[in-house]
Amino acid sequence: MNWRRILKAFPTVVLVLDILIRIAAVVVVPRNRRPSSAMAWLMAIFVAPIPGSILFGLIGSTRLPQDRRDRQREINDLILENTKGLDNRADTVTQPPWFGTVVRLNRTLGSMPLIPGNTARLLPEYAESIAAMTAAVDAAERYVHVEFYIFTRDESTYLFFDALKRAHDRGVRVRVLYDHWATIRNPQGRVTRRWLRDSGIRFEEMLPFHPTKGMWRRPDLRNHRKIVVVDGNVAFTGSQNMIDPSYNKRGNMRRGLQWKDLMVRLDGPAAIGLNALFITDWYSETDELPTDTDADADAESPVDRPADSETLECQVVPSGPGFDGENNLRLFNALVYGAQERLIIASPYFVPDDSMLYAITTAAERGVDVQLFACEVADQFMVYHAQRSYYETLLRSGVRIFLYEKPTVLHSKHFTVDDDVAVIGSSNMDMRSFSLNFEVSLMVRGAGFVEEVRRIEDDYRSRSHEVTLAAWLSRPAGLQVLDNVARLTAAVQ
């Protein structure tokens, strides 16, 4: 072997490989990808072609394996088939005028119908929310379905876990889903898994990441949903994980960080929609389609429960890599463009794509009172700074920005449109939630419910300070550079 010739040819080989990688990147990377993400990936590959292309090969695709996408379509078809009668209900919606088209959009993307005849109770306090879910489990007679991004048994949540064990012991069918990566990384994650095994409760880890066992997928595709369903007529959803408000992390405890969330208890037929979403995830992880909830179908049909001034119309909107479109992003943009008077957003991680940024700034510029609630304190360094990179654009368009006082992390995820519509769920307004995470949103039409959410927003405002454009422009230049670098990094999806 002539090492001298090899060494002499090495620069030429590297140059040719560099050129081929760049050409291939221009062809492959922009395909079916939003422009901001494609541009970020192309910059990464052009700056460092070999490392950048390897990284793109590992995490460049947000698509799940074909079998999981096939299961999602199978469930979607089943939901559409079993809820045909509800489409006519959506067609009668006239107030606000644009609401019916949003309902049809959600139906097309996520298959779930708009269902009348529900009541809802907001749970803005952490301990109160856990207590309410615990009481519902203790009242269960047939089944309990639990799904959380982070699910740990600790000093704040053990009562809920004990209620699950009591339900299991008295013959209630209990199923638990939790995100594998998010839960096991927590200091209490492995202890919780052992407790579940010892209790005999059925549980599965969502999107397990075990490369050595052949379970490989992009590791940051996560299931971020929060759902509890009891007997098909009571359900909970929102932003809160089943974990202590410090998240059991020493760094958080040292800084005094406490999470503040918003959950909603839903009573009525719309709970079946959240249960259908749980069943979809259970089926995706186990190949088992639970049939012991079929009694739900024997209950009074939602079609026969007309909405009135005392009840709410609700639509469950699932989203995530299992769907072809970004369902939550499309819903949010449709509602932002529908807003006529007031739009209030609460999102701890606000990193919008171009379409959402334009929708929100356009709303402010056409006279809508747009307010954004975010966090004064950071728990995720890069996301925190990426979010701040948008503040100047938002402030210049007329958006009012309120930062919730530290050391509380305002983790609630919801918004209200005029006096008619509210959305509450697990989805942040960032590119991770739009493209990488499985999320659930609950769209609610009802003036009374919106008024209750507004009271919570008023409380946020009393505990926040408003950001002014002059103060924001006076920040050190170094912080501005850091914000923009973080924004570019966040665009790489």
Side-chain angles (χ1 to χ4, degrees):
M1 182 177 294
N2 191 329
W3 288 103
R4 184 173 295 177
R5 287 185 177 180
I6 293 175
L7 292 174
K8 187 175 181 179
F10 184 74
T12 302
V13 172
V14 171
L15 178 61
V16 171
L17 182 62
D18 181 282
I19 294 172
L20 291 176
I21 289 175
R22 293 170 188 262
I23 293 174
V26 171
V27 174
V28 173
V29 171
R31 189 178 303 162
N32 296 323
R33 192 179 302 274
R34 65 162 60 89
S36 58
S37 177
M39 182 62 68
W41 272 116
L42 286 173
M43 289 181 64
I45 293 172
F46 272 61
V47 169
I50 294 177
S53 59
I54 292 174
L55 188 63
F56 179 78
L58 291 174
I59 65 171
S61 174
T62 62
R63 292 176 69 84
L64 288 169
Q66 185 64 45
D67 61 332
R68 290 189 68 103
R69 286 183 279 127
D70 289 343
R71 289 174 199 161
Q72 181 69 64
R73 293 191 185 96
E74 182 181 345
I75 293 292
N76 288 351
D77 291 342
L78 185 63
I79 293 171
L80 287 170
E81 178 66 24
N82 291 333
T83 59
K84 283 182 178 178
L86 296 182
D87 290 322
N88 293 333
R89 180 68 183 93
D91 289 340
T92 65
V93 172
T94 58
Q95 294 297 328
W98 46 264
F99 185 71
T101 62
V102 177
V103 171
R104 287 191 287 275
L105 169 70
N106 295 335
R107 179 75 152 146
T108 299
L109 297 175
S111 301
M112 299 287 189
L114 177 75
I115 302 179
N118 305 280
T119 59
R121 174 190 168 199
L122 291 168
L123 300 165
E125 300 300 329
Y126 212 98
E128 175 194 16
S129 172
I130 294 175
M133 289 185 277
T134 301
V137 171
D138 274 329
E141 298 178 355
R142 295 189 292 121
Y143 66 86
V144 176
H145 289 163
V146 177
E147 178 173 344
F148 282 96
Y149 177 59
I150 304 177
F151 188 68
T152 65
R153 189 174 189 272
D154 53 39
E155 292 183 357
S156 296
T157 65
Y158 74 91
L159 292 175
F160 179 80
F161 280 77
D162 290 350
L164 292 179
K165 181 66 166 63
R166 289 192 296 271
H168 170 73
D169 290 345
R170 67 177 183 269
V172 174
R173 292 176 292 276
V174 179
R175 297 182 178 92
V176 172
L177 289 170
Y178 62 79
D179 185 85
H180 167 246
W181 191 246
T183 295
I184 295 304
R185 284 190 309 160
N186 192 270
Q188 297 296 319
R190 297 182 189 278
V191 174
T192 300
R193 182 164 61 185
R194 286 197 297 270
W195 185 92
L196 288 168
R197 285 173 177 163
D198 292 342
S199 72
I201 294 172
R202 288 283 313 270
F203 74 95
E204 294 291 335
E205 297 178 324
M206 296 182 288
L207 301 172
F209 183 68
H210 297 295
T212 58
K213 299 179 181 179
M215 296 180 181
W216 165 263
R217 62 174 59 86
R218 180 170 171 170
D220 56 350
L221 297 181
R222 306 305 336 151
N223 196 314
H224 197 237
R225 293 168 179 158
K226 293 90 174 169
I227 298 171
V228 176
V229 182
V230 177
D231 294 341
N233 50 38
V234 175
F236 298 81
T237 193
S239 65
Q240 185 174 323
N241 290 295
M242 187 57 67
I243 190 173
D244 183 83
S246 71
Y247 276 49
N248 298 316
K249 294 182 178 180
R250 291 181 181 177
N252 294 343
M253 297 176 189
R254 186 173 57 252
R255 299 169 62 192
L257 298 185
Q258 293 282 302
W259 267 242
K260 182 174 179 59
D261 285 278
L262 181 61
M263 295 289 282
V264 60
R265 172 179 165 141
L266 187 66
D267 290 78
I272 300 175
L274 288 168
N275 195 50
L277 191 51
F278 174 91
I279 290 173
T280 301
D281 289 337
W282 185 268
Y283 179 47
S284 296
E285 299 299 343
T286 66
D287 288 329
E288 170 193 327
L289 192 59
T291 59
D292 51 21
T293 65
D294 289 346
D296 293 343
D298 297 331
E300 180 185 358
S301 170
V303 181
D304 298 326
R305 299 186 184 188
D308 57 39
S309 60
E310 301 300 324
T311 61
L312 305 170
E313 294 178 317
C314 301
Q315 187 172 29
V316 176
V317 184
S319 58
F323 294 90
D324 293 330
E326 295 167 322
N327 299 359
N328 49 358
L329 173 61
R330 294 172 186 267
L331 163 64
F332 297 162
N333 279 346
L335 291 177
V336 170
Y337 280 116
Q340 300 298 308
E341 297 177 358
R342 195 183 336 177
L343 174 70
I344 301 180
I345 301 168
S347 179
Y349 313 117
F350 181 82
V351 186
D353 76 337
D354 287 345
S355 68
M356 172 160 283
L357 184 64
Y358 289 144
I360 291 175
T361 54
T362 299
E365 288 166 349
R366 59 186 170 85
V368 177
D369 176 13
V370 182
Q371 301 177 31
L372 169 65
F373 289 96
C375 299
E376 183 182 34
V377 66
D379 74 295
Q380 295 188 24
F381 181 82
M382 293 302 290
V383 177
Y384 174 75
H385 283 283
Q387 172 174 283
R388 291 157 64 91
S389 72
Y390 293 91
Y391 286 177
E392 181 179 345
T393 300
L394 294 169
L395 290 167
R396 287 189 182 279
S397 71
V399 175
R400 299 177 66 191
I401 300 174
F402 297 88
L403 300 182
Y404 200 90
E405 62 184 5
K406 58 184 180 183
T408 300
V409 176
L410 182 61
H411 193 244
S412 303
K413 311 162 199 299
H414 54 87
F415 64 98
T416 51
V417 182
D418 298 334
D419 297 323
D420 306 295
V421 180
V423 174
I424 180 173
S426 67
S427 181
N428 295 302
M429 288 193 170
D430 70 352
M431 288 178 276
R432 277 196 55 82
S433 284
F434 299 151
S435 301
L436 306 181
N437 290 343
F438 287 84
E439 305 282 6
V440 57
S441 299
L442 179 69
M443 184 175 73
V444 181
R445 188 177 80 139
F449 184 81
V450 173
E451 185 178 350
E452 290 183 32
V453 179
R454 284 275 161 79
R455 285 197 287 267
I456 292 172
E457 293 166 346
D458 290 341
D459 179 68
Y460 294 168
R461 198 176 295 105
S462 70
R463 300 170 186 269
S464 305
H465 71 267
E466 186 171 359
V467 180
T468 65
L469 180 60
W472 196 250
L473 294 177
S474 66
R475 291 179 307 138
L479 283 178
Q480 299 178 37
V481 172
L482 178 58
D483 293 345
N484 290 327
V485 170
R487 178 176 179 171
L488 180 62
T489 303
V492 180
Q493 303 290 358

